[in-house]
């Protein structure tokens, strides 16, 4: 059960110290948005490269961008230990996943709330993680979509059928109130933004979320 706090909710003017606040987390989740695939612009490769030099935890890069086939491998080459592309944006997701792995990163495929998992189940052997979005990608602080839990269960059952060490991540509105149902549905990596960075003690929030997830493990 891994916690990946989203720096989208952190203080962008002080990212090094903000990463220090979550040194007990498993990952730092970095949302890259290009104002094309999603209606928001956040940060790109130069900032990620700077974060990689100072982060106390591995970086989990979530690329909400067009043309990930072209741009995603650079994030793996820079040293992100997990790189997530959106399957809706990828031209050749299988080839991209293999390229990310060859560059030394865990390859992860993200699904927007409206995207069905079944058409992409055959990609599982080339993936290390599947991200089920529990909000529409683009902005932090949105409400959790409980109607995505059947999709999490579906992915968990498919992973069980296929075998292999494939993680299932949820991202969007994950908090002390919602993490239990995510864990029960089969998720094991949890992205939390405001639930961690909005807390007075971010590290304590990470520990609390992890404990709640472990108690309700699928």
């Amino acid at each position: 059960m891994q916690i990946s706090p989203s720096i989208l909710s952190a203080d962008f003017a002080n990212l090094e110290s903000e990463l220090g606040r979550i040194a007990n987390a498993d990952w730092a989740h970095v949302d890259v948005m290009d104002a094309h695939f999603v209606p928001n612009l956040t940060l790109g490769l130069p900032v990620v490269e700077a974060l990689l030099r100072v982060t106390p935890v591995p970086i989990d890069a979530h690329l909400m961008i067009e043309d990930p086939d072209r741009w995603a491998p650079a994030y793996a080459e820079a040293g992100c230990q997990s790189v997530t592309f959106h399957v809706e944006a990828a031209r050749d997701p299988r080839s991209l996943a293999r390229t990310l792995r060859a560059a030394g990163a865990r390859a992860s495929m993200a699904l927007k709330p409206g995207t069905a998992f079944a058409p992409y189940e055959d990609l599982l052997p080339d993936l290390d993680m599947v991200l089920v979005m529990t909000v529409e990608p683009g902005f932090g602080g949105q409400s959790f979509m409980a109607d995505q839990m059947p999709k999490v269960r579906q992915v968990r059952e498919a992973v069980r059928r296929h075998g292999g060490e494939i993680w299932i991540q949820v991202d969007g509105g994950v908090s002390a109130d919602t993490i239990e149902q995510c864990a029960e549905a089969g998720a094991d990596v949890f992205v939390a933004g405001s639930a961690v960075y909005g807390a007075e003690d971010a590290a304590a929030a990470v520990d609390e979320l992890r404990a709640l997830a472990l108690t309700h493990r699928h």
Side-chain angles (χ1 to χ4, degrees):
M1 291 294 174
Q2 303 181 68
I3 307 298
S4 183
S6 169
I7 67 163
L8 192 60
S9 300
D11 174 5
F12 269 25
N14 295 288
L15 285 176
E16 183 174 1
S17 62
E18 290 285 74
L19 286 168
R21 290 177 68 199
I22 59 155
N24 63 322
D26 301 280
W27 298 85
H29 188 86
V30 178
D31 289 306
V32 174
M33 306 184 193
D34 64 357
H36 293 281
F37 181 70
V38 287
N40 193 7
L41 184 66
T42 53
L43 46 83
L45 190 59
V47 175
V48 171
E49 287 172 337
L51 294 176
L52 283 162
R53 288 194 288 272
V54 299
T55 181
V57 291
I59 284 186
D60 163 29
H62 178 193
L63 308 182
M64 293 175 249
I65 61 172
E66 283 182 359
D67 203 3
D69 306 71
R70 178 179 176 189
W71 302 113
Y75 288 84
E77 287 154 14
C80 295
Q81 280 160 287
S82 179
V83 177
T84 301
F85 61 88
H86 268 268
V87 75
E88 303 90 353
R91 285 191 307 277
D92 187 344
R94 190 181 305 278
S95 169
L96 176 54
R98 288 175 176 173
T99 301
L100 292 171
R101 278 181 164 180
R106 294 178 60 88
S108 168
M109 169 183 81
L111 303 162
K112 288 161 85 167
T115 304
F117 167 68
Y120 305 107
E121 186 177 330
D122 65 333
L123 296 172
L124 283 178
D126 291 296
L127 296 170
D128 298 293
M129 185 166 74
V130 176
L131 164 54
V132 176
M133 290 297 296
T134 43
V135 294
E136 284 296 337
F139 293 94
Q142 296 184 69
S143 297
F144 175 78
M145 297 168 73
D147 62 0
Q148 294 303 300
M149 292 304 98
K151 192 192 293 184
V152 173
R153 282 193 187 86
Q154 192 185 3
V155 177
R156 174 55 65 202
E157 281 155 20
V159 166
R160 209 174 272 129
R161 280 198 304 277
H162 286 262
E165 264 296 302
I166 301 170
W167 300 345
I168 301 172
Q169 185 178 61
V170 284
D171 176 9
V174 175
S175 68
D177 297 327
T178 58
I179 195 166
E180 297 171 3
Q181 53 190 300
C182 297
E184 280 165 7
D188 50 16
V189 186
F190 307 87
V191 177
S194 38
V196 170
Y197 276 111
E200 209 165 303
D201 186 337
V206 167
D207 288 338
E208 183 198 5
L209 289 170
R210 196 186 283 114
L212 285 168
L214 281 166
T215 316
H216 292 80
R217 172 176 247 144
H218 182 70

